[in-house]
């Protein structure tokens, strides 16, 4: 009886391995965990009055499980041109794609209050698999109305795909989001994109639970050349 049971388990295990291999290799894109160069953790401590509720992810100091992405993806946003809805009053737009995202004032680009956006022009369409963003992890805080979109239209009037939206009350007027707010940490927020093809990446925000001002530190876009 025990021998038969062991054989059955062995067969089931082998079948699972075959299925897993077939799944990862079906489109010819073997995947690997996305490796990010993470900045340091903030030294400013954790506030006691953090927001709570069903639309807010609990604070965690554990690194999230990395996304699986094709092994040859690269950060195609590095050094690319950045534009914005308003000019920053601190820092320069080019800092959003310079690779520097430590929790210090020199790596923060700040904008006035209200719903504002920043946009990266990748120069040509890419097959995007993951977008990592750091708004402002100098402080443990929840950024409001984090909306991430991609398009081939620089005006974002046509062909717009929303990849992330935690504006659950549609305050920013871009549609009701179903994603949850999260706390800014050194891990940033990595959003899956499933190989969608686009040239432009736009990220919105509307202050945070600590400040009405907007801030960005870095956007990284992991992609392959579009076929």
């Amino acid at each position: 009886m025990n021998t038969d049971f062991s054989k059955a388990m062995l067969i089931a295990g082998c079948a699972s391995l075959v299925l897993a291999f077939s799944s990862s290799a079906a489109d010819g894109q073997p995947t690997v965990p996305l490796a990010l160069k993470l900045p340091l953790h903030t030294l400013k401590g954790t506030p006691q009055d953090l927001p709570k509720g069903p639309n807010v992810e609990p604070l965690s100091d554990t690194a999230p499980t990395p996304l699986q992405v094709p092994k040859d993806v690269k950060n195609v946003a590095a050094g690319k041109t950045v534009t914005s809805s308003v000019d920053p009053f601190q820092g320069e737009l080019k800092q959003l794609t310079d690779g520097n995202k430590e929790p210090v004032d020199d790596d923060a680009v700040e904008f006035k209050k209200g719903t504002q956006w920043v946009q990266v022009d990748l120069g040509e369409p890419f097959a995007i698999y993951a977008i990592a963003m750091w708004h402002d992890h100098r402080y443990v805080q929840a950024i409001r109305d984090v909306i991430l979109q991609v398009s081939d239209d620089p005006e974002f009037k046509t062909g717009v795909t929303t990849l992330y939206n935690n504006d659950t009350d549609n305050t920013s007027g871009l549609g009701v989001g179903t994603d949850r707010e999260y706390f800014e940490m050194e891990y940033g927020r990595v959003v899956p994109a499933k190989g969608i093809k686009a040239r432009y990446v736009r990220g919105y925000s509307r202050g945070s639970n600590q400040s009405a001002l907007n801030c960005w530190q870095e956007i990284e876009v992991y992609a392959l050349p579009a076929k």
Side-chain angles (χ1 to χ4, degrees):
M1 183 67 178
N2 290 338
T3 300
D4 291 343
F5 178 77
S6 299
K7 287 182 178 178
M9 293 297 293
L10 178 61
I11 292 172
C14 290
S16 297
L17 286 173
V18 171
L19 180 60
F21 175 79
S22 299
S23 177
S24 63
D27 60 355
Q29 296 285 348
T31 61
V32 297
L34 177 62
L36 296 175
K37 182 181 179 182
L38 296 180
L40 298 174
H41 182 73
T42 181
L43 298 177
K44 296 184 182 297
T46 302
Q48 298 299 312
D49 56 346
L50 292 175
K52 300 178 181 178
N55 296 325
V56 183
E57 294 179 3
L59 178 65
S60 173
D61 57 3
T62 302
T65 302
L67 285 182
Q68 289 288 323
V69 294
K71 66 181 183 64
D72 293 327
V73 297
K74 298 184 183 305
N75 175 20
V76 297
K80 296 295 176 60
T81 301
V82 181
T83 55
S84 58
S85 55
V86 293
D87 292 333
F89 64 83
Q90 176 178 304
E92 300 180 66
L93 292 174
K94 64 182 181 182
Q95 292 179 251
L96 271 63
T97 55
D98 68 355
N100 299 317
K101 47 186 180 287
E102 295 300 332
V104 297
D105 292 348
D106 285 347
D107 286 354
V109 182
E110 297 194 63
F111 305 84
K112 71 178 186 180
K113 66 181 183 180
T115 299
Q116 307 296 348
W117 54 260
V118 299
Q119 181 172 311
V120 181
D121 179 359
L122 302 176
E124 60 184 292
F126 282 89
I128 301 171
Y129 287 88
I131 300 175
M133 49 186 176
W134 290 260
H135 288 88
D136 185 4
H137 69 101
R138 292 175 298 173
Y139 311 95
V140 178
Q141 58 183 322
I143 305 297
R144 306 297 193 199
D145 297 3
V146 175
I147 302 168
L148 183 66
Q149 298 179 330
V150 297
S151 178
D152 278 331
D153 177 8
E155 301 296 326
F156 276 72
K157 294 180 179 177
T158 61
V160 177
T161 298
T162 299
L163 300 176
Y164 194 93
N165 183 351
N166 66 13
D167 180 14
T168 56
D169 57 5
N170 199 23
T171 307
S172 291
L174 295 169
V176 176
T178 58
D179 295 299
R180 300 169 76 187
E181 292 186 349
Y182 60 92
F183 294 105
E184 287 286 311
M185 300 283 280
E186 64 270 32
Y187 312 116
R189 172 56 43 135
V190 182
V191 177
K194 301 180 180 178
I196 189 169
K197 294 179 177 59
R199 170 173 172 172
Y200 301 95
V201 175
R202 179 180 285 192
Y204 293 83
S205 62
R206 186 181 58 83
S208 74
N209 70 297
Q210 291 193 7
S211 172
L213 301 177
N214 291 281
C215 184
W216 281 84
Q217 293 182 291
E218 195 74 12
I219 301 178
E220 297 176 354
V221 180
Y222 290 88
L224 295 173
K227 295 180 180 177

